[in-house]
Amino acid sequence: MKKILVTGGLGFIGSHTVVELQNEGFEVVIIDDLSNTTINVLDNITSITGKKPIFYQMDTRKKEDLKTLFNSHDIDGIIHFAAYKAVGESMGKPLEYYENNLSSLIYLLQEMRDRNLDNFIFSSSCTVYGQADELPVTEKAPVKAAESVYGNTKQIGEEIIRDASNAHKINCIALRYFNPIGAHPSIKIGELPLGVPQNLIPFITQTAAGIRKELSVFGDDYPTPDGTAVRDYIHVVDLAKAHIAALKRLMEKRNKTTFEYFNIGTGKGSSVLEVINAFEKVNNLKLNYKIVGRREGDVVAAYADTTIANKELNWKTEISLEEALASAWKWQLKQG
Ligand code: WQD
């Protein structure tokens, strides 16, 4: 049974990917420092699949701990999620973000180099494109100067991987996520934002649940059909399945190149007001919101051209925005 190391495997996207890996018959080793999740996600994963992943509470910046782990397990592939990911927070803590996000990546790649390991998947982001000149965004769109430290760690991360993969023949894929949302159909795992949610969907669900007084819509004066910003909201299970598809591609070594990147989205753009209306309709409720000024650093619109991912990964999204918003609400209600 092939064994896959998943860093940040108890996080939002990581936990959903672990479930899909187990469903596909992979053995999973999770390392997570629990800085942005809780240990009960491990039991929730187990209750979904009936298989308990191997788990180490570990900081991926601890080189020696990483060495011990690689000495204890024959790893057939790595999916690297562990990173700080709050765009706004990153502007006030640049050194923590560069240190955590980049040193973890470098140490993992060093272990792969030294042990001649293969099959590395990197959690990247559409944020590397900034405001693309053409929409939908293709992989040929230029990577622009990052608008946040967080975005810069993803850009630099991809460059580190490209150079390491070329020099040491490590077979790598970066998946550039658009906006992950929703919860597993079992409603046993989902998004667990700590503190005040930065992202739109958890703020919407917490407002609907009465935890937040009202949602602030950041700007309605954008050059879009209804004036609010447009994004590509992809259900987290569709996103998780893209990682399985990427892993299979790497393992079958169909691709001759050693570093590839793919846009992982639905290919459909939805504005903030369209999301609000869809959320109200599918969940049969009224949301309390107000229009305020734009949020600094936001792009007008970002949605994916998924042609290459669909073809090369033999993968496409299957879950609609409405279903995703319904699952997000069911998950919120379960939080009590
Ligand atoms: C979506 C839209 C906001 C909150 C970021 C990162 C990306 C990924 C996902 C980590 C925007 C609007 C939001 C609110 C609002 N991060 N909004 N009121 O900024 O597209 O992407 O998070 O993996 O890398 O860049 O996502 O959910 O913050 O915002 O009006 O209270 O919702 O202005 O138009 P974003 P988001």
Side-chain angles (χ1 to χ4, degrees):
M1 185 187 275
K2 298 274 187 199
K3 192 179 278 188
I4 306 298
L5 171 64
V6 181
T7 73
L10 294 188
F12 175 38
I13 305 166
S15 57
H16 287 80
T17 302
V18 167
V19 165
E20 298 308 324
L21 283 166
Q22 291 187 317
N23 289 345
E24 285 290 314
F26 290 101
E27 189 177 3
V28 177
V29 178
I30 294 174
I31 56 179
D32 200 305
D33 66 1
L34 301 180
S35 64
N36 196 24
T37 185
T38 60
I39 188 64
N40 59 31
V41 172
L42 183 63
D43 291 339
N44 297 340
I45 290 170
T46 307
S47 74
I48 295 170
T49 62
K51 290 173 266 185
K52 183 163 189 168
I54 300 163
F55 172 72
Y56 298 94
Q57 180 171 351
M58 186 191 289
D59 181 336
T60 41
R61 287 169 292 188
K62 299 264 188 312
K63 262 181 142 175
E64 289 318 307
D65 292 354
L66 272 183
K67 280 189 190 316
T68 306
L69 179 126
F70 280 95
N71 289 337
S72 319
H73 298 277
D74 291 332
I75 298 296
D76 297 297
I78 298 178
I79 305 181
H80 181 42
F81 293 104
Y84 295 155
K85 58 158 221 164
V87 174
E89 180 190 56
S90 75
M91 303 309 281
K93 296 183 171 178
L95 298 179
E96 289 84 349
Y97 268 68
Y98 286 121
E99 197 248 352
N100 182 55
N101 291 9
L102 298 181
S103 62
S104 305
L105 173 63
I106 290 167
Y107 297 158
L108 281 169
L109 291 170
Q110 284 173 333
E111 290 304 317
M112 294 189 83
R113 174 199 63 195
D114 299 347
R115 300 164 190 267
N116 200 23
L117 298 181
D118 225 350
N119 309 320
F120 183 75
I121 296 175
F122 180 62
S123 165
S124 189
S125 167
C126 63
T127 202
V128 302
Y129 297 115
Q131 177 54 68
D133 300 326
E134 286 177 41
L135 290 169
V137 193
T138 72
E139 285 83 353
K140 290 190 171 50
V143 169
K144 289 189 176 172
E147 320 222 341
S148 71
V149 167
Y150 159 78
N152 208 25
T153 68
K154 292 302 179 183
Q155 286 184 10
I156 299 170
E158 286 193 8
E159 289 168 15
I160 290 170
I161 293 164
R162 181 200 58 209
D163 294 342
S165 123
N166 290 337
H168 307 300
K169 293 291 162 273
I170 304 171
N171 209 4
C172 300
I173 283 178
L175 296 180
R176 292 173 173 175
Y177 309 158
F178 282 68
N179 289 58
I181 65 168
H184 191 267
S186 66
I187 311 298
K188 291 180 176 175
I189 52 175
E191 196 165 2
L192 282 169
L194 302 183
V196 179
Q198 299 304 304
N199 294 129
L200 178 64
I201 304 310
F203 207 105
I204 286 180
T205 59
Q206 289 192 11
T207 302
I211 298 167
R212 307 290 162 200
K213 192 164 88 46
E214 69 183 347
L215 169 75
S216 297
V217 173
F218 297 140
D220 69 345
D221 59 349
Y222 285 104
T224 61
D226 64 18
T228 62
V230 172
R231 296 290 185 275
D232 183 333
Y233 297 97
I234 176 173
H235 192 282
V236 65
V237 170
D238 277 335
L239 175 56
K241 289 180 175 175
H243 292 76
I244 309 306
L247 190 58
K248 286 181 175 172
R249 179 181 176 86
L250 288 170
M251 288 184 157
E252 285 154 11
K253 291 206 178 278
R254 268 211 302 273
N255 51 311
K256 295 287 168 280
T257 51
T258 51
F259 175 50
E260 298 177 290
Y261 43 84
F262 299 100
N263 287 346
I264 303 300
T266 67
K268 181 177 172 298
S270 302
S271 74
V272 177
L273 285 178
E274 284 171 335
V275 170
I276 292 170
N277 295 336
F279 183 82
E280 291 180 324
K281 187 158 174 271
V282 77
N283 296 311
N284 192 24
L285 51 79
K286 282 309 284 168
L287 193 76
N288 194 16
Y289 68 90
K290 66 179 175 186
I291 306 290
V292 299
R294 296 181 177 189
R295 178 174 67 177
E296 194 195 345
D298 275 347
V299 296
V300 178
Y303 51 95
D305 179 315
T306 60
T307 312
I308 294 179
N310 297 152
K311 176 172 176 286
E312 297 303 326
L313 297 180
N314 188 28
W315 163 91
K316 65 179 177 52
T317 52
E318 294 163 357
I319 303 171
S320 69
L321 175 68
E322 291 71 19
E323 287 170 279
L325 294 171
S327 68
W329 180 230
K330 285 198 190 86
W331 169 251
Q332 180 66 57
L333 290 174
K334 190 168 176 202
Q335 305 315 302

